[in-house]
Amino acid sequence: MDKDNVVDLLPQAGIPDPLTDMLRKGARQLIAQAVEAEVQGLLGQYRDRQTADGRAAVVRNGYHPERQVQTGLGPVSVRIPKVRSRTGEPVTFRSALVPPYVRKSRSLEAALPWLYLKGVSTGEMAEALKVLVGPDAAGLSASTVARLKKVWAQEYATWREARLDQDEWVYIWADGVYSGLRGESDKLCALVVIGVNTRGDKHYLAIEDGVRESTQSWREVLLKLRARGMNAPKLAIGDGAMGFWAALEEIFPTTRQQRCWMHKTMNILNCLPKAAQPKAKQALHDIWQAETRKAADKAFDLFIETYDTKYPKATLCLLKDREELMAFFDFPAQHWQSIRTSNPIESTFGTIRHRTKRSKGCLTRDGMLHMMFKLGQCAEKKWRRLRGFDFLAKVITGVRFKNGVEVTKTNQAAA
């Protein structure tokens, strides 16, 4: 039998894509038209100049060698015209659309750090680019990412020196974020501070390397923030790390303290057997979900009375931060959801931890900080304004709130 019905499967890179081919041809034609318009504009500037025998002084002179520019559609061939002057005057045509020596589009260049930040390691970059722009992805290598890392280092150095006195900062969230490092047994502790201004915009204020979460490390962070012009915020939110609170009392003594209910709940439940944890967790929720400080105090006392006899460590963990856990009741109710926990940091750094875990074997201490900074900037673009931001101006000017409601002469007299 001379015939068979076996069909050879084409490799993935060889699969024809008429739509992409058509788009590339269209892009090549559009680029040619745009470059032609540019060269005609240049010739128009010299239209009135002529040689002694009456000929045009500046004329076209063929084309530069054809080159390919890598784009999101793949390689697109371009031909750039040349001009020459008949009078000896130096005249050169340089296209603004396709500058000399450019081999890839800016959007494709910007995709490289995005791929790296989102989880594609430098070793896998070539394979990822082949999928994106085809097998002819020349000039797009891991070395491009290495060069961009140096740019990130410069951006980080500039950012951490930027002034903060253009805004008044109402609330700050602080936490220490740990990540593994190449060749080091100790984890990197990045001391992170996020602030919200009177317009409700949240921004990273500090991402600094620290020695665990010691008082000295936090003191250095807060002193630098003050030196950059940050005012004393009205409220600071964080977990039970004593180093931060000791440094805060020294640098910003007027700032109120709010312990994170999420961390506190986890710490208390760790002191209880698993069988008792579901009911205890609900009892703790009854405290911070209460509508008034009075109702919260009642639920607080009930928890102590219920668990103190059998689990004194759990009740002691709750009692030692009683006032700091209830501070949010003295601020607008619209802000309670945001200021009861340090979730703004925890939720953002969830994705950052995922990315840095992937790179822990190939990052230095500085490289880890720079990556955290760039990932943080990506996340910051998606943040929404603080709920109830129109009350922030009242908080910063010292307006009193009780149970989340503004205290006026009328309701003060009624109380």
Side-chain angles (χ1 to χ4, degrees):
M1 297 178 63
D2 298 330
K3 297 182 179 180
D4 60 55
N5 58 358
V6 177
V7 178
D8 292 332
L9 294 177
L10 293 172
Q12 184 175 1
I15 296 176
D17 186 351
L19 178 59
T20 302
D21 291 340
M22 183 180 67
L23 291 173
R24 286 180 187 169
K25 291 178 181 177
R28 185 163 56 248
Q29 293 173 0
L30 288 174
I31 292 173
Q33 292 173 6
V35 172
E36 182 65 27
E38 286 184 308
V39 74
Q40 290 299 331
L42 177 67
L43 294 175
Q45 296 176 14
Y46 294 92
R47 185 178 296 112
D48 297 333
R49 299 189 185 184
Q50 295 181 347
T51 61
D53 55 359
R55 295 184 299 171
V58 179
V59 295
R60 299 181 63 136
N61 188 33
Y63 291 88
H64 289 282
E66 185 177 82
R67 72 178 190 266
Q68 290 188 333
V69 177
Q70 293 292 339
T71 70
L73 295 172
V76 175
S77 300
V78 297
R79 295 180 69 200
I80 305 301
K82 294 192 295 184
V83 299
R84 69 181 179 88
S85 173
R86 289 170 170 165
T87 62
E89 178 186 359
V91 178
T92 304
F93 170 66
R94 295 183 182 275
S95 171
L97 179 65
V98 188
Y101 310 111
V102 166
R103 296 287 181 176
K104 48 185 164 292
S105 64
R106 290 183 181 178
S107 60
L108 192 59
E109 184 86 18
L112 298 180
W114 186 88
L115 288 172
Y116 179 72
L117 289 172
K118 296 302 180 182
V120 180
S121 65
T122 53
E124 300 168 342
M125 191 69 68
E127 294 299 321
L129 290 169
K130 285 182 182 179
V131 175
L132 285 174
V133 300
D136 300 323
L140 299 175
S141 62
S143 61
T144 306
V145 177
R147 292 194 301 270
L148 289 169
K149 284 182 183 179
K150 296 180 180 179
V151 177
W152 298 346
Q154 296 171 358
E155 291 178 357
Y156 173 71
T158 303
W159 170 80
R160 65 198 296 260
E161 299 295 335
R163 298 293 301 173
L164 298 174
D165 48 7
Q166 293 89 352
D167 291 298
E168 290 189 273
W169 303 96
V170 188
Y171 305 134
I172 61 170
W173 294 264
D175 200 1
V177 180
Y178 292 85
S179 295
L181 288 170
R182 173 179 62 187
E184 296 187 26
S185 57
D186 293 335
K187 291 184 176 181
L188 167 71
C189 178
L191 305 182
V192 181
V193 179
I194 294 177
V196 61
N197 57 27
T198 52
R199 298 184 302 278
D201 300 322
K202 288 179 283 188
H203 296 282
Y204 280 102
L205 303 182
I207 302 176
E208 299 284 348
D209 185 6
V211 180
R212 298 187 180 274
E213 294 185 66
S214 65
T215 300
Q216 178 59 28
S217 295
W218 276 115
R219 182 186 292 115
E220 293 172 5
V221 172
L222 296 178
L223 282 172
K224 189 162 188 177
L225 289 176
R226 190 174 67 178
R228 290 166 58 193
M230 190 183 85
N231 60 287
K234 292 296 182 180
L235 183 70
I237 306 99
D239 60 18
M242 296 303 296
F244 172 72
W245 302 114
L248 184 73
E249 290 177 356
E250 177 184 343
I251 309 303
F252 297 114
T254 61
T255 300
R256 296 279 304 274
Q257 301 179 12
Q258 171 65 49
R259 296 295 187 273
C260 172
W261 269 102
M262 183 184 70
H263 284 89
K264 179 59 70 174
T265 299
M266 293 170 58
N267 293 338
I268 293 173
L269 294 181
N270 286 337
C271 300
L272 297 170
K274 287 188 177 180
Q277 288 182 7
K279 286 188 176 180
K281 185 176 182 179
Q282 183 57 51
L284 291 170
H285 284 189
D286 292 340
I287 301 174
W288 58 264
Q289 289 180 347
E291 295 293 330
T292 64
R293 173 67 184 265
K294 185 176 181 180
D297 284 334
K298 185 177 179 180
F300 195 104
D301 294 335
L302 179 60
F303 184 93
I304 300 300
E305 186 178 355
T306 302
Y307 293 97
D308 190 43
T309 302
K310 293 186 66 176
Y311 311 108
K313 287 181 64 177
T315 55
L316 179 62
C317 182
L318 181 63
L319 275 170
K320 67 178 183 179
D321 292 321
R322 179 165 188 160
E323 289 303 315
E324 289 80 4
L325 286 167
M326 300 295 192
F328 70 91
F329 282 106
D330 296 332
F331 292 86
Q334 291 81 355
H335 301 167
W336 287 0
Q337 182 179 357
S338 300
I339 64 177
R340 286 185 295 220
T341 71
S342 56
N343 272 346
I345 292 179
E346 292 295 329
S347 59
T348 300
F349 270 83
T351 55
I352 294 178
R353 283 192 182 98
H354 175 74
R355 176 64 187 102
T356 51
K357 279 181 182 178
R358 183 178 178 87
S359 301
K360 65 182 179 181
C362 57
L363 281 175
T364 62
R365 185 172 292 273
D366 288 340
M368 183 75 80
L369 277 176
H370 301 158
M371 175 173 283
M372 288 182 173
F373 162 67
K374 291 302 294 185
L375 288 169
Q377 282 194 323
C378 294
E380 192 176 290
K381 295 175 183 178
K382 300 179 182 178
W383 287 348
R384 293 179 294 179
R385 284 205 289 183
L386 187 75
R387 180 171 173 263
F389 60 87
D390 47 332
F391 286 90
L392 289 168
K394 294 184 178 181
V395 174
I396 203 70
T397 54
V399 174
R400 291 183 58 234
F401 289 83
K402 184 176 181 180
N403 295 321
V405 180
E406 182 180 349
V407 176
T408 62
K409 294 182 179 179
T410 303
N411 60 26
Q412 189 174 14

PDB file of all heavy atoms in Angstrom, residues 257-285:
ATOM      1  N   GLN A 257      -2.869  54.447  69.179  1.00  0.00           N
ATOM      2  CA  GLN A 257      -2.468  53.107  68.782  1.00  0.00           C
ATOM      3  C   GLN A 257      -3.676  52.196  68.646  1.00  0.00           C
ATOM      4  O   GLN A 257      -4.553  52.185  69.518  1.00  0.00           O
ATOM      5  CB  GLN A 257      -1.497  52.508  69.808  1.00  0.00           C
ATOM      6  CG  GLN A 257      -0.225  53.312  70.009  1.00  0.00           C
ATOM      7  CD  GLN A 257       0.694  52.687  71.045  1.00  0.00           C
ATOM      8  OE1 GLN A 257       0.500  51.542  71.456  1.00  0.00           O
ATOM      9  NE2 GLN A 257       1.707  53.435  71.466  1.00  0.00           N
ATOM     10  N   GLN A 258      -3.718  51.443  67.546  1.00  0.00           N
ATOM     11  CA  GLN A 258      -4.778  50.461  67.311  1.00  0.00           C
ATOM     12  C   GLN A 258      -4.137  49.116  66.991  1.00  0.00           C
ATOM     13  O   GLN A 258      -3.434  48.982  65.996  1.00  0.00           O
ATOM     14  CB  GLN A 258      -5.687  50.888  66.157  1.00  0.00           C
ATOM     15  CG  GLN A 258      -6.680  49.826  65.694  1.00  0.00           C
ATOM     16  CD  GLN A 258      -7.697  49.482  66.758  1.00  0.00           C
ATOM     17  OE1 GLN A 258      -8.308  50.377  67.353  1.00  0.00           O
ATOM     18  NE2 GLN A 258      -7.895  48.199  67.012  1.00  0.00           N
ATOM     19  N   ARG A 259      -4.384  48.128  67.865  1.00  0.00           N
ATOM     20  CA  ARG A 259      -3.879  46.794  67.601  1.00  0.00           C
ATOM     21  C   ARG A 259      -4.741  46.110  66.544  1.00  0.00           C
ATOM     22  O   ARG A 259      -5.955  46.294  66.500  1.00  0.00           O
ATOM     23  CB  ARG A 259      -3.871  45.953  68.873  1.00  0.00           C
ATOM     24  CG  ARG A 259      -2.953  46.450  69.961  1.00  0.00           C
ATOM     25  CD  ARG A 259      -1.475  46.380  69.555  1.00  0.00           C
ATOM     26  NE  ARG A 259      -0.615  46.708  70.687  1.00  0.00           N
ATOM     27  CZ  ARG A 259      -0.246  47.929  71.014  1.00  0.00           C
ATOM     28  NH1 ARG A 259      -0.666  48.956  70.269  1.00  0.00           N
ATOM     29  NH2 ARG A 259       0.521  48.159  72.054  1.00  0.00           N
ATOM     30  N   CYS A 260      -4.095  45.307  65.719  1.00  0.00           N
ATOM     31  CA  CYS A 260      -4.786  44.598  64.645  1.00  0.00           C
ATOM     32  C   CYS A 260      -5.618  43.456  65.228  1.00  0.00           C
ATOM     33  O   CYS A 260      -5.082  42.558  65.887  1.00  0.00           O
ATOM     34  CB  CYS A 260      -3.772  44.058  63.646  1.00  0.00           C
ATOM     35  SG  CYS A 260      -4.479  42.977  62.399  1.00  0.00           S
ATOM     36  N   TRP A 261      -6.930  43.484  64.975  1.00  0.00           N
ATOM     37  CA  TRP A 261      -7.814  42.457  65.497  1.00  0.00           C
ATOM     38  C   TRP A 261      -7.565  41.109  64.832  1.00  0.00           C
ATOM     39  O   TRP A 261      -7.785  40.044  65.445  1.00  0.00           O
ATOM     40  CB  TRP A 261      -9.276  42.870  65.323  1.00  0.00           C
ATOM     41  CG  TRP A 261      -9.806  43.612  66.510  1.00  0.00           C
ATOM     42  CD1 TRP A 261      -9.979  44.959  66.630  1.00  0.00           C
ATOM     43  CD2 TRP A 261     -10.213  43.032  67.750  1.00  0.00           C
ATOM     44  NE1 TRP A 261     -10.483  45.265  67.876  1.00  0.00           N
ATOM     45  CE2 TRP A 261     -10.635  44.099  68.589  1.00  0.00           C
ATOM     46  CE3 TRP A 261     -10.267  41.737  68.244  1.00  0.00           C
ATOM     47  CZ2 TRP A 261     -11.104  43.890  69.881  1.00  0.00           C
ATOM     48  CZ3 TRP A 261     -10.735  41.527  69.538  1.00  0.00           C
ATOM     49  CH2 TRP A 261     -11.141  42.591  70.347  1.00  0.00           C
ATOM     50  N   MET A 262      -7.125  41.090  63.608  1.00  0.00           N
ATOM     51  CA  MET A 262      -6.854  39.823  62.941  1.00  0.00           C
ATOM     52  C   MET A 262      -5.694  39.092  63.618  1.00  0.00           C
ATOM     53  O   MET A 262      -5.794  37.901  63.938  1.00  0.00           O
ATOM     54  CB  MET A 262      -6.527  40.059  61.468  1.00  0.00           C
ATOM     55  CG  MET A 262      -6.303  38.784  60.671  1.00  0.00           C
ATOM     56  SD  MET A 262      -5.806  39.089  58.960  1.00  0.00           S
ATOM     57  CE  MET A 262      -4.148  39.736  59.209  1.00  0.00           C
ATOM     58  N   HIS A 263      -4.586  39.816  63.858  1.00  0.00           N
ATOM     59  CA  HIS A 263      -3.451  39.196  64.534  1.00  0.00           C
ATOM     60  C   HIS A 263      -3.803  38.818  65.969  1.00  0.00           C
ATOM     61  O   HIS A 263      -3.401  37.746  66.443  1.00  0.00           O
ATOM     62  CB  HIS A 263      -2.259  40.158  64.533  1.00  0.00           C
ATOM     63  CG  HIS A 263      -1.560  40.267  63.221  1.00  0.00           C
ATOM     64  ND1 HIS A 263      -1.930  41.183  62.261  1.00  0.00           N
ATOM     65  CD2 HIS A 263      -0.518  39.569  62.697  1.00  0.00           C
ATOM     66  CE1 HIS A 263      -1.129  41.057  61.211  1.00  0.00           C
ATOM     67  NE2 HIS A 263      -0.270  40.084  61.442  1.00  0.00           N
ATOM     68  N   LYS A 264      -4.531  39.685  66.653  1.00  0.00           N
ATOM     69  CA  LYS A 264      -4.891  39.394  68.037  1.00  0.00           C
ATOM     70  C   LYS A 264      -5.763  38.147  68.123  1.00  0.00           C
ATOM     71  O   LYS A 264      -5.578  37.299  69.016  1.00  0.00           O
ATOM     72  CB  LYS A 264      -5.605  40.596  68.645  1.00  0.00           C
ATOM     73  CG  LYS A 264      -6.049  40.407  70.092  1.00  0.00           C
ATOM     74  CD  LYS A 264      -4.880  40.095  71.012  1.00  0.00           C
ATOM     75  CE  LYS A 264      -3.986  41.291  71.200  1.00  0.00           C
ATOM     76  NZ  LYS A 264      -2.924  41.019  72.211  1.00  0.00           N
ATOM     77  N   THR A 265      -6.716  38.017  67.214  1.00  0.00           N
ATOM     78  CA  THR A 265      -7.574  36.828  67.210  1.00  0.00           C
ATOM     79  C   THR A 265      -6.752  35.562  67.013  1.00  0.00           C
ATOM     80  O   THR A 265      -6.952  34.553  67.701  1.00  0.00           O
ATOM     81  CB  THR A 265      -8.640  36.952  66.102  1.00  0.00           C
ATOM     82  OG1 THR A 265      -9.450  38.105  66.358  1.00  0.00           O
ATOM     83  CG2 THR A 265      -9.520  35.715  66.059  1.00  0.00           C
ATOM     84  N   MET A 266      -5.819  35.583  66.071  1.00  0.00           N
ATOM     85  CA  MET A 266      -4.976  34.414  65.827  1.00  0.00           C
ATOM     86  C   MET A 266      -4.142  34.071  67.054  1.00  0.00           C
ATOM     87  O   MET A 266      -3.999  32.894  67.411  1.00  0.00           O
ATOM     88  CB  MET A 266      -4.068  34.672  64.628  1.00  0.00           C
ATOM     89  CG  MET A 266      -4.803  34.800  63.306  1.00  0.00           C
ATOM     90  SD  MET A 266      -3.738  35.379  61.960  1.00  0.00           S
ATOM     91  CE  MET A 266      -2.476  34.112  61.967  1.00  0.00           C
ATOM     92  N   ASN A 267      -3.593  35.086  67.724  1.00  0.00           N
ATOM     93  CA  ASN A 267      -2.770  34.837  68.914  1.00  0.00           C
ATOM     94  C   ASN A 267      -3.590  34.230  70.046  1.00  0.00           C
ATOM     95  O   ASN A 267      -3.116  33.336  70.761  1.00  0.00           O
ATOM     96  CB  ASN A 267      -2.121  36.141  69.380  1.00  0.00           C
ATOM     97  CG  ASN A 267      -1.099  36.659  68.381  1.00  0.00           C
ATOM     98  OD1 ASN A 267      -0.578  35.909  67.562  1.00  0.00           O
ATOM     99  ND2 ASN A 267      -0.826  37.956  68.438  1.00  0.00           N
ATOM    100  N   ILE A 268      -4.814  34.711  70.220  1.00  0.00           N
ATOM    101  CA  ILE A 268      -5.667  34.180  71.293  1.00  0.00           C
ATOM    102  C   ILE A 268      -6.079  32.742  70.987  1.00  0.00           C
ATOM    103  O   ILE A 268      -6.048  31.864  71.868  1.00  0.00           O
ATOM    104  CB  ILE A 268      -6.902  35.075  71.483  1.00  0.00           C
ATOM    105  CG1 ILE A 268      -6.480  36.456  72.016  1.00  0.00           C
ATOM    106  CG2 ILE A 268      -7.911  34.429  72.431  1.00  0.00           C
ATOM    107  CD1 ILE A 268      -7.602  37.468  72.066  1.00  0.00           C
ATOM    108  N   LEU A 269      -6.464  32.473  69.760  1.00  0.00           N
ATOM    109  CA  LEU A 269      -6.900  31.125  69.399  1.00  0.00           C
ATOM    110  C   LEU A 269      -5.765  30.116  69.521  1.00  0.00           C
ATOM    111  O   LEU A 269      -6.007  28.928  69.793  1.00  0.00           O
ATOM    112  CB  LEU A 269      -7.454  31.117  67.976  1.00  0.00           C
ATOM    113  CG  LEU A 269      -8.741  31.925  67.748  1.00  0.00           C
ATOM    114  CD1 LEU A 269      -9.197  31.803  66.300  1.00  0.00           C
ATOM    115  CD2 LEU A 269      -9.849  31.475  68.691  1.00  0.00           C
ATOM    116  N   ASN A 270      -4.525  30.559  69.348  1.00  0.00           N
ATOM    117  CA  ASN A 270      -3.388  29.658  69.532  1.00  0.00           C
ATOM    118  C   ASN A 270      -3.230  29.212  70.975  1.00  0.00           C
ATOM    119  O   ASN A 270      -2.543  28.220  71.251  1.00  0.00           O
ATOM    120  CB  ASN A 270      -2.100  30.335  69.067  1.00  0.00           C
ATOM    121  CG  ASN A 270      -2.003  30.422  67.563  1.00  0.00           C
ATOM    122  OD1 ASN A 270      -2.632  29.646  66.846  1.00  0.00           O
ATOM    123  ND2 ASN A 270      -1.227  31.373  67.069  1.00  0.00           N
ATOM    124  N   CYS A 271      -3.852  29.932  71.908  1.00  0.00           N
ATOM    125  CA  CYS A 271      -3.795  29.575  73.324  1.00  0.00           C
ATOM    126  C   CYS A 271      -4.946  28.657  73.740  1.00  0.00           C
ATOM    127  O   CYS A 271      -5.064  28.305  74.922  1.00  0.00           O
ATOM    128  CB  CYS A 271      -3.824  30.834  74.200  1.00  0.00           C
ATOM    129  SG  CYS A 271      -2.459  31.973  73.913  1.00  0.00           S
ATOM    130  N   LEU A 272      -5.797  28.288  72.797  1.00  0.00           N
ATOM    131  CA  LEU A 272      -6.977  27.477  73.085  1.00  0.00           C
ATOM    132  C   LEU A 272      -6.902  26.153  72.340  1.00  0.00           C
ATOM    133  O   LEU A 272      -6.305  26.066  71.265  1.00  0.00           O
ATOM    134  CB  LEU A 272      -8.252  28.216  72.662  1.00  0.00           C
ATOM    135  CG  LEU A 272      -8.557  29.536  73.376  1.00  0.00           C
ATOM    136  CD1 LEU A 272      -9.698  30.256  72.670  1.00  0.00           C
ATOM    137  CD2 LEU A 272      -8.912  29.289  74.837  1.00  0.00           C
ATOM    138  N   PRO A 273      -7.517  25.102  72.880  1.00  0.00           N
ATOM    139  CA  PRO A 273      -7.602  23.841  72.119  1.00  0.00           C
ATOM    140  C   PRO A 273      -8.497  24.006  70.905  1.00  0.00           C
ATOM    141  O   PRO A 273      -9.379  24.871  70.872  1.00  0.00           O
ATOM    142  CB  PRO A 273      -8.204  22.866  73.140  1.00  0.00           C
ATOM    143  CG  PRO A 273      -8.915  23.724  74.123  1.00  0.00           C
ATOM    144  CD  PRO A 273      -8.139  24.995  74.209  1.00  0.00           C
ATOM    145  N   LYS A 274      -8.278  23.172  69.896  1.00  0.00           N
ATOM    146  CA  LYS A 274      -9.022  23.312  68.643  1.00  0.00           C
ATOM    147  C   LYS A 274     -10.523  23.202  68.850  1.00  0.00           C
ATOM    148  O   LYS A 274     -11.300  23.867  68.154  1.00  0.00           O
ATOM    149  CB  LYS A 274      -8.545  22.258  67.643  1.00  0.00           C
ATOM    150  CG  LYS A 274      -7.167  22.535  67.073  1.00  0.00           C
ATOM    151  CD  LYS A 274      -6.829  21.567  65.951  1.00  0.00           C
ATOM    152  CE  LYS A 274      -5.473  21.906  65.338  1.00  0.00           C
ATOM    153  NZ  LYS A 274      -5.132  20.966  64.235  1.00  0.00           N
ATOM    154  N   ALA A 275     -10.939  22.366  69.786  1.00  0.00           N
ATOM    155  CA  ALA A 275     -12.375  22.184  69.999  1.00  0.00           C
ATOM    156  C   ALA A 275     -13.048  23.453  70.484  1.00  0.00           C
ATOM    157  O   ALA A 275     -14.228  23.697  70.207  1.00  0.00           O
ATOM    158  CB  ALA A 275     -12.611  21.044  70.995  1.00  0.00           C
ATOM    159  N   ALA A 276     -12.306  24.289  71.214  1.00  0.00           N
ATOM    160  CA  ALA A 276     -12.885  25.520  71.771  1.00  0.00           C
ATOM    161  C   ALA A 276     -12.723  26.725  70.854  1.00  0.00           C
ATOM    162  O   ALA A 276     -13.303  27.784  71.115  1.00  0.00           O
ATOM    163  CB  ALA A 276     -12.248  25.811  73.128  1.00  0.00           C
ATOM    164  N   GLN A 277     -11.967  26.586  69.792  1.00  0.00           N
ATOM    165  CA  GLN A 277     -11.652  27.749  68.959  1.00  0.00           C
ATOM    166  C   GLN A 277     -12.835  28.334  68.196  1.00  0.00           C
ATOM    167  O   GLN A 277     -12.975  29.566  68.132  1.00  0.00           O
ATOM    168  CB  GLN A 277     -10.524  27.383  67.985  1.00  0.00           C
ATOM    169  CG  GLN A 277      -9.176  27.246  68.663  1.00  0.00           C
ATOM    170  CD  GLN A 277      -8.056  26.927  67.689  1.00  0.00           C
ATOM    171  OE1 GLN A 277      -8.252  26.931  66.468  1.00  0.00           O
ATOM    172  NE2 GLN A 277      -6.872  26.635  68.217  1.00  0.00           N
ATOM    173  N   PRO A 278     -13.745  27.536  67.606  1.00  0.00           N
ATOM    174  CA  PRO A 278     -14.858  28.152  66.863  1.00  0.00           C
ATOM    175  C   PRO A 278     -15.721  29.082  67.707  1.00  0.00           C
ATOM    176  O   PRO A 278     -16.036  30.192  67.286  1.00  0.00           O
ATOM    177  CB  PRO A 278     -15.653  26.938  66.365  1.00  0.00           C
ATOM    178  CG  PRO A 278     -14.649  25.840  66.280  1.00  0.00           C
ATOM    179  CD  PRO A 278     -13.725  26.071  67.437  1.00  0.00           C
ATOM    180  N   LYS A 279     -16.106  28.642  68.934  1.00  0.00           N
ATOM    181  CA  LYS A 279     -16.926  29.496  69.790  1.00  0.00           C
ATOM    182  C   LYS A 279     -16.148  30.706  70.275  1.00  0.00           C
ATOM    183  O   LYS A 279     -16.698  31.818  70.365  1.00  0.00           O
ATOM    184  CB  LYS A 279     -17.447  28.693  70.978  1.00  0.00           C
ATOM    185  CG  LYS A 279     -18.562  27.713  70.622  1.00  0.00           C
ATOM    186  CD  LYS A 279     -19.161  27.099  71.868  1.00  0.00           C
ATOM    187  CE  LYS A 279     -20.342  26.184  71.515  1.00  0.00           C
ATOM    188  NZ  LYS A 279     -20.954  25.577  72.724  1.00  0.00           N
ATOM    189  N   ALA A 280     -14.875  30.500  70.595  1.00  0.00           N
ATOM    190  CA  ALA A 280     -14.058  31.631  71.050  1.00  0.00           C
ATOM    191  C   ALA A 280     -13.890  32.664  69.943  1.00  0.00           C
ATOM    192  O   ALA A 280     -13.931  33.875  70.195  1.00  0.00           O
ATOM    193  CB  ALA A 280     -12.695  31.129  71.525  1.00  0.00           C
ATOM    194  N   LYS A 281     -13.720  32.194  68.721  1.00  0.00           N
ATOM    195  CA  LYS A 281     -13.572  33.114  67.592  1.00  0.00           C
ATOM    196  C   LYS A 281     -14.826  33.949  67.413  1.00  0.00           C
ATOM    197  O   LYS A 281     -14.749  35.166  67.172  1.00  0.00           O
ATOM    198  CB  LYS A 281     -13.272  32.320  66.322  1.00  0.00           C
ATOM    199  CG  LYS A 281     -12.972  33.177  65.108  1.00  0.00           C
ATOM    200  CD  LYS A 281     -12.590  32.316  63.915  1.00  0.00           C
ATOM    201  CE  LYS A 281     -12.242  33.176  62.709  1.00  0.00           C
ATOM    202  NZ  LYS A 281     -11.848  32.345  61.535  1.00  0.00           N
ATOM    203  N   GLN A 282     -15.996  33.335  67.523  1.00  0.00           N
ATOM    204  CA  GLN A 282     -17.246  34.088  67.413  1.00  0.00           C
ATOM    205  C   GLN A 282     -17.393  35.087  68.546  1.00  0.00           C
ATOM    206  O   GLN A 282     -17.859  36.215  68.347  1.00  0.00           O
ATOM    207  CB  GLN A 282     -18.433  33.120  67.400  1.00  0.00           C
ATOM    208  CG  GLN A 282     -19.781  33.798  67.213  1.00  0.00           C
ATOM    209  CD  GLN A 282     -19.847  34.621  65.944  1.00  0.00           C
ATOM    210  OE1 GLN A 282     -19.522  34.128  64.859  1.00  0.00           O
ATOM    211  NE2 GLN A 282     -20.250  35.882  66.059  1.00  0.00           N
ATOM    212  N   ALA A 283     -16.951  34.701  69.739  1.00  0.00           N
ATOM    213  CA  ALA A 283     -17.021  35.620  70.882  1.00  0.00           C
ATOM    214  C   ALA A 283     -16.117  36.829  70.670  1.00  0.00           C
ATOM    215  O   ALA A 283     -16.464  37.961  71.054  1.00  0.00           O
ATOM    216  CB  ALA A 283     -16.644  34.882  72.162  1.00  0.00           C
ATOM    217  N   LEU A 284     -14.966  36.618  70.061  1.00  0.00           N
ATOM    218  CA  LEU A 284     -14.072  37.740  69.752  1.00  0.00           C
ATOM    219  C   LEU A 284     -14.669  38.632  68.672  1.00  0.00           C
ATOM    220  O   LEU A 284     -14.553  39.868  68.741  1.00  0.00           O
ATOM    221  CB  LEU A 284     -12.711  37.211  69.303  1.00  0.00           C
ATOM    222  CG  LEU A 284     -11.858  36.533  70.379  1.00  0.00           C
ATOM    223  CD1 LEU A 284     -10.658  35.846  69.760  1.00  0.00           C
ATOM    224  CD2 LEU A 284     -11.408  37.542  71.427  1.00  0.00           C
ATOM    225  N   HIS A 285     -15.319  38.031  67.669  1.00  0.00           N
ATOM    226  CA  HIS A 285     -15.992  38.819  66.636  1.00  0.00           C
ATOM    227  C   HIS A 285     -17.086  39.693  67.234  1.00  0.00           C
ATOM    228  O   HIS A 285     -17.317  40.822  66.771  1.00  0.00           O
ATOM    229  CB  HIS A 285     -16.585  37.896  65.572  1.00  0.00           C
ATOM    230  CG  HIS A 285     -15.550  37.336  64.646  1.00  0.00           C
ATOM    231  ND1 HIS A 285     -15.858  36.634  63.506  1.00  0.00           N
ATOM    232  CD2 HIS A 285     -14.196  37.372  64.686  1.00  0.00           C
ATOM    233  CE1 HIS A 285     -14.741  36.263  62.894  1.00  0.00           C
ATOM    234  NE2 HIS A 285     -13.723  36.697  63.600  1.00  0.00           N
TER     235      HIS A 285
END
